[in-house]
Amino acid sequence: MDILSNSSSSSSRVKVEFTDPSGTYPLVASELESRLPLRNLHWNSSSRPLRSIDSLYVELVPDEYSAPQFQKRAASSAGLPGAHDPGVAVRESSDLRRGSEPSISKKERRHQIPGLRQTPYLKLFLLRCDDSETYKASSRKLVREWIKAHTPPSQTSTTINNQENHDAFEWMIVHIVLPDVQNNSVWPNRGSLSVLDKIRADFNGSTKSTIDRVAQIPVMKSLQVQGTTVNPIPSGIARDQFLRESNRAWEDLLSKAKALILTSFDLRVRQYEEDIKAKSAQRSLPGWNFCTFFVLKEGLSRGFESVGLVEDALMGYDELSAELYTAIEEERQKSSTGVETSLFRGYTQELRIQAEQAIAEARGNIVDSVNAQVSTTLQLDTERKPYRELILANNISAFDFESYVFARQIALLSRIARLAPTAGSPTGGRDQEDMIVLAEIARRSLKFITSAGRSIREDLRASILPKEDADEAYLGLRYNVVENIVASWTYSSCQQILSGTAPPSLMLQLESTLQVPFVHPGSPPSEGVKQHTSQGRSTALPRPPIRTTSLLGRPPSNNDSLSHDGFTEDDTYPQQSPLQNEAQTGLYILAAQRAELYIVARRALTSLGRRQGWEIAWPDSTGNIAVQEENMDEISLDDSPRIQQNEADTETHAPTIRSSTKYGIHSSISSGALASRLNFFAAYDDHTATACGHYKISDDRRSAEAMTADLALVRYILEDYTTAVTYFQQLASFYAENDWSELEISILDLYAACLKKLARRDDYISIVLKMLASIVQRSRHLPRLKMPVEPYNSGSIRSQTAVDACKYLKDLLHASKSQDEPVIAAMKKYFSDIRLDSSIVHFDSKDGFKVPLSFQYLLPASLEILKIEARIISATEGQTREIWLSSEETMKAEKGLLTTFLVSNIMVPDWYLLDQITVRVDNVLFTHQILPAEGSKFFGGSRTSTSSDGLFTLGARTFIWPRQGSVEVRASLYPHIHLEESRSVMCEISSGANTISSGKLLVRAASAGLRLHTANAELVDADSRVLDRSQGGIVGFELIPAHSSIKIRIPYRLDNEMKEISLRTEISYTTVDGTFMYGDSHTLPVLLPLGVNVHDVFKQHALFSKFSISTSTAIPLRLLKCQVEGTEDFEASSPKLQTTDICVFSRQPASMVCKISPKERTEQRTDPLQTKLSMRIQYLCLDEEILVAILARFTNSLRNSDFEDFARPLQQWLSTVVRTKLSHENLELMGLLREVEMSMFQDFNWEQIVVALPLERRDKLLSWLSKWSHDNSVVEIPQNFDEDQTRTITIPVEVPQTPVVHTASLRVVGHTHEIPHLGGSIAVGHCIPAELLLQHTRRWDGKGEVPEQEHGELEFYYELDASPETWLIGGRRKAQFSAKEDQVVTFPVLLIPQRAGHLMFPSIEVKRVEKPGATSGDTMLAPDAAVTCEVDYQSQGCSVLVVPNLRSTTVGVEPEAGGRGAWLVDAQSRQEVVSG
């Protein structure tokens, strides 16, 4: 069935009646039809928004007195199959008489219920009048009488006429002009213009608001008029002018016709709305009849439909459908209370005939074949019965009433489907345009079919009343016949809708998504998809007007939800999936609705099969499949639905046994799907697979998996285990993900049974584990449910209430023993509330620890746990260490809370999280891997302890800490540093209370670029012990007595510069109690805390070096010793420190001057000079002094308390807090005061570490720590120190080398004293005679870079430099000279001071000059080769007092000038230079 081809078009057009006394309609018919339908109409109502009508179809109907020469035109209806033109239809009267004059017809009596007949919206009078005389003589009278007879109600004001607005119409005069026949002119007679004016003057009225009802149309065809052939269409230029005039005339006619039709339509709508409003107000009055109201309101909807407003019409029918449902429910309520009702007929005749026929056949009676011809499927033809007359007569059943309204809705939806073609589609987009509408049709059909089943059931029970003496067999037969008819009608109707809503594109996509086809010997062909894909829909119908719609594609409202089924009374239809949003394609929506139809059809089929003894259901509590064989004759009373309470008393108690029967089932079903058991399963499988494919297309995974479950069940019943396993594999994970534990248990039960039949042991073990997990999951969730919840399936799945968990657990353990590898199972599915205590328990006499572990065992069966292992990982960010814990004894697990201890001999202090736990039972390992998420901050890291699946409780962090007296490894930098040697790390191993017989130390670099040379490790303060360095990266050692320690020095190298290094130490040691392991992480600063700068001053016989010692890390230092050691060639003398130590701050460095003198060689030596000296500095860092002082005070207090056993974790925490909170400003203050104010640390946050200690001692420990902080507010830093705390650094100091050192001095001639002792003053401009003395030595040239010339001389040049503003230098300011070593060379110079003041002597620069071509042995020297020369300028820093060259000055001042009149009178210069 094609849904779109079933819509009736009789009410989808506007009727226009014309009167043609002159027979001129054939002259304009072709041109008129070519311009129809009317387009672009706009209806503006006062009570509704603006409506646009793109196309309006017109049905032209002649009146019964039209001219007899009018010829009937066949098949000319608008938009119908076989129409000559898609825009117009013509109906003609068969009793017209040629040549008769029109007369006035008697008015037809209107029906008292408006809307029962279709009346014209517009009446046309086709007038032919060629001249004014004819018009005056006959035509005017004829038109006037016609107008008088056809005056529309809109032009009167009486009450009676106002009520007739239901059939309101307008009238119009069309003047048809013929060509001038006598003159054979192509133009009409000019007299026609005057006739048109007269018609307008006579009938249009004289007011401005009068509507123009007159139009004139010229003839445009070659015609045979009065025996003469005329061609009114001219040629050439006149042709174009004529066509323009003709088009203008036609446009004028059509525009007036559109306006008049809309006027009539508006009057009708307003009248209908007023009547409907009045009738609605009378609803509560006695005598109000719903059927009458229905016909009235339907007339309005039909009016909308006639003008193309299909959406408004559909909305009206939707309102009527809701009101009808309310009326039917009210009638049912009245009937149930015993009140007599007469609104609807009690039963449907066709259904009664079918039921009586089935009962008669069952009882062996002969059935009348004529009465047996009844329809048992959905009827969409509204012309099959006179529904509207039956409605008015209150002689229609509720089922027929609902069927009629539904058929009208489908007809309107089918028309809308043809209103929205898709642009760009070569076929008009038929397949695409129908998707949304077909989905809406399917949705409405689904709702109607499921609700109509109840009406049919009640209809049949009312029509076939049981007799008082009816036996139990008759009652069972009656029940089965009724239910068979209902189920047959439901099944057939679903198939009918499915075949009509199957576009090819959906069918093509469906073929690719279908499940495994049903293949069984003797099975019938599939009744599902194949029959739909081969069907097509006729496209011969012309398309109605195009309009967009917003009514379709919307999600169904709450009122649209289905509340009834179509086949049994007790079953309820599953809640319908809502339509997807508008952004989804129509294909998805249509697929979802069709899938629901397949489900309804399948449930009807299941209902029919159940009464034949074939039932498909999930296992019950005993594990049995509820399916009966074909040869069974009886079914239990429990499998039959209940009889309604309103039936006769004899029928309220259903019979205990009802015969299996096929009576009442449609012949196509009984001979097809119900022909045999295999046919039934094939049809069930086909419907299920097709529904599953539709769900997949609509992206409804849950429903698709539910269908897959039913497919698997069918294959299991038919013992097709291989195919069933394929389906079960898809289902197991889906139900587990969506937490459908009850259904999952049923599925896994069958899945395991199939695997066991197929002997697939590995898969069987896996599925049994899943089943046990589902049992646990269901038992955990059920207590939280307030009421049982039935998850959605197809209706055939029944929950499995119990599964023998003990049996499956026993089978699991038995099957696992034959496996080569252990069976791995997820622990979180069988255990919960796993908690590892945050505090550990130490052993009394040995190292190691144990941790309490508690968990809930959830399985109802007991088992014996062989071993429990757990892995804990560091909670510190950046750390990857792990510790394995294990149980020491087996334990028997019963359902409930279990507690045990996990033990470990590995001690690595840190915060830990439980990362993995394993429980071993025989050959089954229950494991769980935890991946903590990053987030919450905690000590030393940012890992959280809460499992993402809720398996672990909060607070699962565990702090591992060593007991007092256990082994400890401390790492530090080797305290003696030599910058020319490799630096080392020192590891100190303390045995504590243990006597270590042997052990191994593993040191690993945790910083990139750190290279540890364990092969070069050696003992510090070595005794007789020997280290074993045969294994790479491991250092072995021998006996370490109790309460002793050893120190191992390990050199290292850095590939790049860094401020600190990180390393991990692990020590494995053996004692009398076993083998243990201790590990720790260390971070050591490698940046040297001090820096040394040196400044050298060369003298002729000695070198003076000034060393400046400063801090490089802003941490104050205490210098204990500082000295420079000489060599064989150089002697160094450094002063001793004035005090015992010197404090060095970041802004206060320490300085020391050292004198270095070369030693005289007593014998001839060939080895090079040893110029590298050593500077040794012994120091203490202030932060280490502070930490040692605080820890010493804290440790002494702990020894006198009850908490000495917590010393290790508390000391570690205190050390961390002190190092973190020390600032540079505080360090300088502490270094000056030599004391520590404990208040600067504010709060030690002891709670963060105490929380990891035993619970019973936490409060007392917190009180003691708080008291200690209060009592020790100030901690003094002692001056004395232990040699082990000090550090020593050896810095190599290279004696600087220079080729030549000159000694220069300026001496004033004529004075007996040296220049530095010059006294007196010198006048500006006076000359100072002086001598420049130069002497050089080469004793600092250790490399011999300066070659000597002949006679041992070297050539130099000097230059005196001074600012011209200070000195004028005369004499030999710049000169070149040659001299031998230690030779004194003198040069005279003249100094002239240029300004007064203390003037420094000019500076001097001396350089060596190499002559071109000079040789040094066999080497040719470059010309003027520069050689560095150091100058010891002894006159540097000497100054001369220079005064102005004036002895006296006389100045004149005039007092009368107010001090402004002053002048120089006399001045006397100095005659001699004053000298001291």
Side-chain angles (χ1 to χ4, degrees), residues 549-855:
T549 175
S550 61
L551 297 178
L552 302 180
R554 59 180 176 86
S557 62
N558 294 334
N559 295 331
D560 294 339
S561 61
L562 303 177
S563 57
H564 308 292
D565 63 87
F567 44 90
T568 59
E569 181 176 309
D570 296 336
D571 296 338
T572 58
Y573 182 75
Q575 184 177 359
Q576 182 178 345
S577 302
L579 293 178
Q580 305 295 330
N581 54 39
E582 295 181 359
Q584 290 181 318
T585 61
L587 182 67
Y588 294 164
I589 305 174
L590 176 59
Q593 297 302 322
R594 283 176 54 85
E596 300 295 340
L597 282 170
Y598 272 108
I599 296 302
V600 173
R602 194 192 69 167
R603 299 188 79 182
L605 181 64
T606 304
S607 176
L608 292 172
R610 184 185 302 119
R611 279 181 288 278
Q612 307 305 316
W614 311 320
E615 185 171 355
I616 301 176
W618 287 89
D620 55 14
S621 59
T622 62
N624 298 323
I625 299 296
V627 57
Q628 300 176 358
E629 297 296 335
E630 185 178 8
N631 56 359
M632 295 185 68
D633 297 329
E634 298 177 352
I635 58 176
S636 173
L637 173 62
D638 296 335
D639 292 336
S640 301
R642 300 189 311 271
I643 305 299
Q644 287 191 348
Q645 296 295 332
N646 58 356
E647 292 201 5
D649 294 338
T650 57
E651 203 172 12
T652 54
H653 302 286
T656 57
I657 297 178
R658 288 176 176 155
S659 301
S660 174
T661 177
K662 292 185 178 180
Y663 300 109
I665 302 177
H666 195 271
S667 59
S668 61
I669 302 176
S670 60
S671 61
L674 298 181
S676 64
R677 179 175 180 269
L678 290 180
N679 285 32
F680 168 73
F681 280 108
Y684 184 91
D685 184 273
D686 180 74
H687 282 71
T688 306
T690 309
C692 182
H694 281 82
Y695 280 129
K696 289 183 178 180
I697 295 175
S698 64
D699 199 19
D700 187 351
R701 185 187 175 193
R702 282 179 174 265
S703 301
E705 297 296 339
M707 296 299 100
T708 306
D710 288 346
L711 290 172
L713 178 61
V714 172
R715 302 299 174 136
Y716 178 81
I717 295 173
L718 297 177
E719 298 181 359
D720 184 4
Y721 301 120
T722 303
T723 307
V725 166
T726 304
Y727 289 130
F728 283 131
Q729 288 175 348
Q730 305 175 25
L731 295 170
S733 60
F734 171 78
Y735 286 115
E737 292 174 3
N738 293 274
D739 197 21
W740 291 7
S741 57
E742 188 171 352
L743 288 178
E744 187 186 10
I745 294 173
S746 300
I747 291 172
L748 293 177
D749 188 18
L750 295 182
Y751 192 6
C754 292
L755 294 173
K756 196 170 185 179
K757 293 285 187 180
L758 297 175
R760 294 168 55 174
R761 188 180 300 275
D762 294 343
D763 294 335
Y764 175 75
I765 292 175
S766 176
I767 297 306
V768 169
L769 285 172
K770 287 185 178 181
M771 188 186 311
L772 294 174
S774 299
I775 296 174
V776 171
Q777 190 75 4
R778 181 169 179 266
S779 64
R780 295 176 62 184
H781 289 178
L782 282 180
R784 297 199 296 264
L785 298 178
K786 297 181 179 180
M787 57 181 298
V789 177
E790 289 291 338
Y792 167 69
N793 195 7
S794 63
S796 62
I797 294 180
R798 291 203 302 253
S799 302
Q800 179 176 346
T801 58
V803 175
D804 192 354
C806 297
K807 172 182 176 298
Y808 279 110
L809 183 59
K810 183 178 179 181
D811 292 344
L812 170 66
L813 298 179
H814 177 73
S816 65
K817 292 179 180 179
S818 61
Q819 300 296 108
D820 297 333
E821 297 294 333
V823 177
I824 307 300
M827 183 179 179
K828 65 180 181 179
K829 298 179 180 179
Y830 317 96
F831 301 86
S832 68
D833 300 333
I834 301 176
R835 180 184 179 87
L836 190 68
D837 204 304
S838 60
S839 61
I840 63 175
V841 179
H842 291 103
F843 298 105
D844 296 333
S845 59
K846 67 175 183 178
D847 292 350
F849 64 94
K850 56 184 178 180
V851 188
L853 175 71
S854 62
F855 56 90

Side-chain angles (χ1 to χ4, degrees), residues 130-132 135 189-199:
D130 298 331
D131 51 48
S132 300
Y135 174 73
N189 193 336
R190 289 186 175 273
S192 62
L193 298 178
S194 60
V195 171
L196 179 63
D197 295 336
K198 292 180 180 296
I199 296 174

Side-chain angles (χ1 to χ4, degrees), residues 1047-1120:
K1047 297 179 181 179
I1048 300 176
R1049 176 187 173 188
I1050 302 175
Y1052 71 89
R1053 178 175 56 85
L1054 297 177
D1055 294 342
N1056 46 49
E1057 294 294 333
M1058 58 182 66
K1059 294 182 179 181
E1060 60 183 20
I1061 59 174
S1062 297
L1063 50 90
R1064 298 189 184 97
T1065 58
E1066 295 180 4
I1067 176 175
S1068 175
Y1069 57 97
T1070 303
T1071 67
V1072 294
D1073 297 317
T1075 301
F1076 302 88
M1077 197 275 285
Y1078 178 87
D1080 204 351
S1081 296
H1082 313 272
T1083 300
L1084 307 177
V1086 295
L1087 187 65
L1088 291 178
L1090 56 81
V1092 179
N1093 295 325
V1094 61
H1095 177 67
D1096 298 320
V1097 178
F1098 285 93
K1099 297 293 183 179
Q1100 186 174 6
H1101 300 288
L1103 171 65
F1104 292 89
S1105 296
K1106 180 183 179 181
F1107 295 93
S1108 179
I1109 303 173
S1110 62
T1111 62
S1112 60
T1113 59
I1115 298 177
L1117 304 174
R1118 286 179 63 191
L1119 295 182
L1120 305 178

Side-chain angles (χ1 to χ4, degrees), residues 170-235:
E170 293 289 342
W171 57 272
M172 185 178 179
I173 302 172
V174 181
H175 183 212
I176 299 176
V177 181
L178 295 177
D180 190 349
V181 180
Q182 296 178 356
N183 299 328
N184 196 19
S185 174
V186 297
W187 289 102
N189 193 336
R190 289 186 175 273
S192 62
L193 298 178
S194 60
V195 171
L196 179 63
D197 295 336
K198 292 180 180 296
I199 296 174
R200 287 176 174 170
D202 292 339
F203 302 106
N204 267 347
S206 58
T207 61
K208 294 182 178 181
S209 60
T210 302
I211 301 175
D212 188 4
R213 302 175 184 274
V214 180
Q216 178 173 285
I217 300 299
V219 176
M220 299 176 60
K221 285 187 177 182
S222 299
L223 302 173
Q224 191 76 16
V225 180
Q226 297 181 0
T228 303
T229 301
V230 296
N231 185 6
I233 302 178
S235 60

